Amino acid sequence: MVRAAEERAEKTSFEQSCEPAVGALLGALAAAVPRGGRILELGTGTGVGTAWLASGVGPRTDVTLTTVEVVPELAESVRAAGLPDWVDVVTGDALDVVPRLGRFDLIFADAVAGKWEGLDVTLGALAPGGILVVDDMQPARYDRPEHRAVVDRIRATLASDPELATADFVEATGLMLATRRAA
């Protein structure tokens, strides 16, 4: 699944797919989602992150994975990729879609909507004990001061939220991992 998604990215010159190390982490976290668990991905792209998450779940069928993509052509290409039945590719703006979806045990926020804008919506969808993965939070990756300011705001929000235990891996791709404290 991962290789097929990477090939779709190459074929369409899509350059925003998650890096292999991030994908491997997503797979490891997806493997630990509890029975009947729910996974959410914001920013499907060509489905590289989706494939890593689905690969981590493995042969289980008790988990659902919902991935949200705003670009209809990208969403359709992933829908046509032959993913497991428990993967749902939703086309739409995450800020409109996520509030109707409920809570999730694992969220990978890798799109403007739900990360750069509307982080509060994403945090509202994180279940107690749930894990949020946010990538590309290394300020040095961005040339424009306004982009660095947004990244700094997101990092500060996650680090200072008393409901979250947050790990910041700014040295790598700027990956942040936040776990909502269990109730």
Side-chain angles (χ1 to χ4, degrees), residues 8 62 71 110 119 127 141:
R8 278 192 302 280
D62 62 297
V71 179
D110 199 29
L119 180 60
R141 292 176 71 114

Side-chain angles (χ1 to χ4, degrees), residues 70-95:
V70 71
V71 179
E73 297 80 15
L74 289 174
E76 188 51 44
S77 74
V78 175
R79 242 184 242 109
L83 295 170
D85 292 341
W86 44 266
V87 177
D88 184 23
V89 181
V90 176
T91 304
D93 185 307
L95 298 182

Side-chain angles (χ1 to χ4, degrees), residues 2 18-31 48-49 52-53 56:
V2 173
C18 71
E19 297 175 16
V22 174
L25 175 65
L26 293 174
L29 293 171
V48 174
W52 278 107
L53 290 162

Side-chain angles (χ1 to χ4, degrees), residues 100-179:
R100 299 189 306 261
L101 296 177
R103 291 204 151 182
F104 292 86
D105 302 292
L106 174 60
I107 300 176
F108 178 41
D110 199 29
V112 170
K115 179 171 73 172
W116 284 54
E117 302 167 1
L119 180 60
D120 59 324
V121 172
T122 302
L123 290 173
L126 189 62
I131 297 173
L132 170 65
V133 178
V134 182
D135 199 12
D136 305 322
M137 292 290 101
Q138 184 184 58
R141 292 176 71 114
Y142 301 97
D143 295 329
R144 298 173 68 182
E146 61 270 22
H147 291 169
R148 285 193 300 273
V150 171
V151 168
D152 287 341
R153 177 183 48 81
I154 294 166
R155 293 177 69 236
T157 297
L158 294 175
S160 66
D161 188 323
E163 293 187 28
L164 301 174
T166 303
D168 187 349
F169 302 97
V170 73
E171 298 82 16
T173 63
L175 185 74
M176 291 189 78
L177 213 111
T179 301

Side-chain angles (χ1 to χ4, degrees), residues 26-40 53 56-57 60 62-65 104-107 130-131:
L26 293 174
L29 293 171
V33 169
R35 294 197 62 68
R38 302 181 74 215
I39 301 170
L40 174 65
L53 290 162
V57 171
R60 293 173 55 188
D62 62 297
V63 173
T64 60
L65 166 56
F104 292 86
D105 302 292
L106 174 60
I107 300 176
I131 297 173

